[in-house]
Amino acid sequence: MTPQHPATRVVHQHTPPLPTSHPISVPIYQASNFGFDDPDALSDALNAPDQGFAYSRYGNPTTRALEETVAALEGGTAAVATASGMGAITSALTGALRAGDHVIALSCLYGGTYATLNYLHDHFGIDVSYVRGEDPAEVATAVRPSTRMLYLETITNPVTRVVDLPAFLAAGKEAGLLTVVDNTFATPLLCRPIEHGADVVLHSITKYLGGHSDVTAGILVFADDARYRDGWHHTMEMGAAIDPFAAWLTLRGIQTLALRMRQHCANAARIAELLAAHPSVEAVHYPGLATHPDHEVAKRVLADFGGMVSFDLAGGRDAGYTFTKGIRMVKLAASLGGVESMALHPASTSHRQLDADALRAAGIAEGTIRLSVGIEHADDIWADVEQALP
Ligand SMILES: *Cc1c(COP(=O)(O)O)cnc(C)c1O
């Protein structure tokens, strides 16, 4: 019997059989290399992802258990795990694109993705058109004869815009494009883009899938088998393979994904409402609030509204800086998606080179705070946030 519910699937992972039993948890195969008796079997294992294990850059039993778990969660055929989220993104882009190709991407992309697209432009003449993600007709307008790919994110950083995935993916298909979705912020518990027609879904495992701020990794999930085999081959040749220990940490972390996401979402909804009622807060960006511009889309596309909340402090840059100096339990940190609450003031840290106009173009205000709401008791999170508010 194959369990249908993601909450069950993350708990029961595939473990290798021993002669009369099988381990309840997936063991770590901390081996880079595997010995063979039969030279043909070694050759087969080097040539395809499903013919046994020869060398851990090509495949490893622990890594494979993670790939199978996430592929099943996302409703894909198969997956390839990588050393980081950026490893997955770089592999997806360089595997599919050729010099001179054109990409259509969301304008509010993850910073590293934006930087990689710039690099591919400068080095290989790959052009990018950025769309706002508000109207699927933007895809047809941006498309050129050389367009190959539509690149989207389910929920954007830091202002939590939610793109109408079914409509945008349909527009991408209509134009004959390969569709790639970064589903890091939503996780497969809130959205499964392959069910809406995506060809490739990718994650920074470093965030919610790992969930404990102790692993750097990524993963690519493919809707169809031929693309998976190409993706496996390319990722393996590029050397972006995950380490078995990182895969094992992720398998352990992911068993509680459903529980964690429920708590992240419940806490974030509560904190968003409390922030919205606070006099120092000018605006709250959370797709679960009726005031959010994408609230109706989010209700259709997401099973819940996620753990990321951002808000604009009325006092601008100084107020944002004061807030991040004032938090005690909530960690001032660049990353997100861990069990612990974390905050970031982009204007004084990740985006400090930008002036007010450049920040606004990136959808960020001088007083914007990004809060990755953890799984602590919501009262404790709010008590710390409230005492740090100006
Ligand atoms: C963090 C992040 C990445 C990059 O992942 P790394 O594991 O840091 O390489 C990509 N996309 C999104 C949405 C992210 O949040």
Side-chain angles (χ1 to χ4, degrees), residues 215-272:
V215 56
T216 299
I219 196 160
L220 294 154
V221 185
F222 298 86
D224 86 78
D225 188 62
R227 209 161 266 131
Y228 160 63
R229 282 166 195 279
D230 284 352
W232 169 76
H233 206 266
H234 179 69
T235 308
M236 174 271 285
E237 298 286 19
M238 297 272 289
I242 191 173
D243 179 80
F245 185 58
W248 182 83
L249 280 173
T250 307
L251 281 165
R252 184 182 162 113
I254 214 171
Q255 286 185 300
T256 55
L257 181 64
L259 279 176
R260 285 189 280 110
M261 288 314 292
R262 202 183 304 152
Q263 190 72 13
H264 282 301
C265 293
N267 283 352
R270 173 98 193 286
I271 299 297

Side-chain angles (χ1 to χ4, degrees), residues 158-159 282-283 285 311-313 316-317 320 345-348 351 355-356 358-369:
V159 288
E282 219 161 46
H285 312 284
F311 56 99
D312 303 338
L313 289 169
R317 202 175 279 249
H345 177 224
S348 67
H351 295 65
D355 61 18
L359 279 174
R360 208 170 305 114
I364 302 167
E366 294 203 70
T368 299
I369 297 288

Side-chain angles (χ1 to χ4, degrees), residues 295-369:
H295 181 59
E296 292 305 318
V297 172
K299 281 202 288 191
R300 264 193 296 117
V301 173
L302 305 176
D304 205 336
F305 302 110
M308 300 300 298
V309 176
S310 67
F311 56 99
D312 303 338
L313 289 169
R317 202 175 279 249
D318 290 346
Y321 186 72
T322 305
F323 177 83
T324 51
K325 283 186 65 141
I327 45 178
R328 295 182 187 139
M329 178 190 80
V330 176
K331 301 285 183 298
L332 170 61
S335 191
L336 57 102
V339 289
E340 53 288 285
S341 293
M342 292 176 258
L344 181 72
H345 177 224
S348 67
T349 55
S350 57
H351 295 65
R352 67 188 172 284
Q353 298 88 347
L354 306 189
D355 61 18
D357 285 343
L359 279 174
R360 208 170 305 114
I364 302 167
E366 294 203 70
T368 299
I369 297 288

